[in-house]
Amino acid sequence: MPYPILTDAEPFTFQGNELGVLLLHGFTGSPQGLRLWGEALHRGGLTVHCPLLPGHGTHWRDLAVTRYSAWEEASLAGLALLTERCEQVVVCSLSFGGALALHLAARRPDEIRGVVAVNPWLYSTDRRLALLPLLKHLVPTAPGVGSDIADSPLKELAYERVPLKALAAARALQAVVKAELGQVAQPLLLYVSRQDHVVPPGNTTFIAERAGSTDVEVVWLERSYHVATLDCERDRIFDGSLEFVRRVTG
């Protein structure tokens, strides 16, 4: 039986104008890590929706039995909710949410006007992951990677353990997204932390160089770590993404 949703991990929707933003959280995280971002975008007048991705925001055991098709379906459902209410939609994301955002952009080009990704995650450099196809059957979990924050009293609500079967599922989706980057033609705004202890900053460069878009801006964050949406430069992300949404929606 699924575990109950943790306090503050609930999905959220803020009704605003005809411009919509779909927020997608990261692997083992929850909407809690994006709520301040969502509130800032809503103060700017936008309609905002942040779904809780399946297997997240409860207990890592739920995530361990979740396939990546469930994350894909949840992100598509979130997009559908906004396209019903809004004239134009932009997808904003953190970490693994960036992979989902790019996947949506490639698959639904007529429904998405642009993508904002903060420390997007498409690959890892940990050599131990080469053993993941075997390890996932022998070792249930690894230590969690949540709340990598440099200078903020805020903490990310994330699992303390990473289920290896779910990690393998995430990597399978990432392989799909890497192959379809050339189909992503929408404007991209990419924020990348100079010091990130979870995702190599090279992920952002990889996306910028391989995406099919001719409108790509990379913004370096000098003082924030991985969960930059809760870190000391979060207002820079909030203000910049609001300006981006207004620009790409005309």
Side-chain angles (χ1 to χ4, degrees), residues 60-155:
W60 66 260
R61 295 184 189 278
D62 283 337
L63 185 57
V65 295
T66 304
R67 298 184 178 183
Y68 83 68
S69 58
W71 307 325
E72 181 182 33
E73 290 167 5
S75 59
L76 283 168
L79 177 62
L81 182 149
L82 285 170
T83 55
E84 290 176 359
R85 304 183 184 187
C86 302
E87 294 180 3
Q88 301 183 78
V89 177
V90 171
V91 186
C92 296
S93 56
L94 171 66
S95 192
F96 182 67
L100 287 169
L102 293 165
H103 186 52
L104 285 180
R107 298 294 178 94
R108 299 295 179 94
D110 296 334
E111 299 177 36
I112 296 172
R113 301 295 297 173
V115 172
V116 180
V118 177
N119 292 320
W121 177 41
L122 282 190
Y123 71 81
S124 300
T125 55
D126 190 335
R127 295 181 178 179
R128 293 173 296 180
L129 292 178
L131 301 175
L132 187 59
L134 174 62
L135 287 177
K136 69 179 183 180
H137 298 294
L138 302 176
V139 183
T141 67
V145 294
S147 212
D148 184 40
I149 297 173
D151 185 21
S152 170
L154 301 173
K155 299 297 181 184

Side-chain angles (χ1 to χ4, degrees), residues 9 25-33 52-53 55-58 63 94 146 156-159:
H25 66 78
F27 185 67
T28 76
S30 75
Q32 177 265 350
L52 174 63
L53 297 177
H56 291 78
T58 56
L63 185 57
L94 171 66
E156 182 190 24
L157 180 60
Y159 292 152

Side-chain angles (χ1 to χ4, degrees), residues 12-25:
F12 59 83
T13 302
F14 304 135
Q15 188 64 44
N17 61 24
E18 72 282 356
L19 302 180
V21 172
L22 176 63
L23 287 175
L24 296 173
H25 66 78

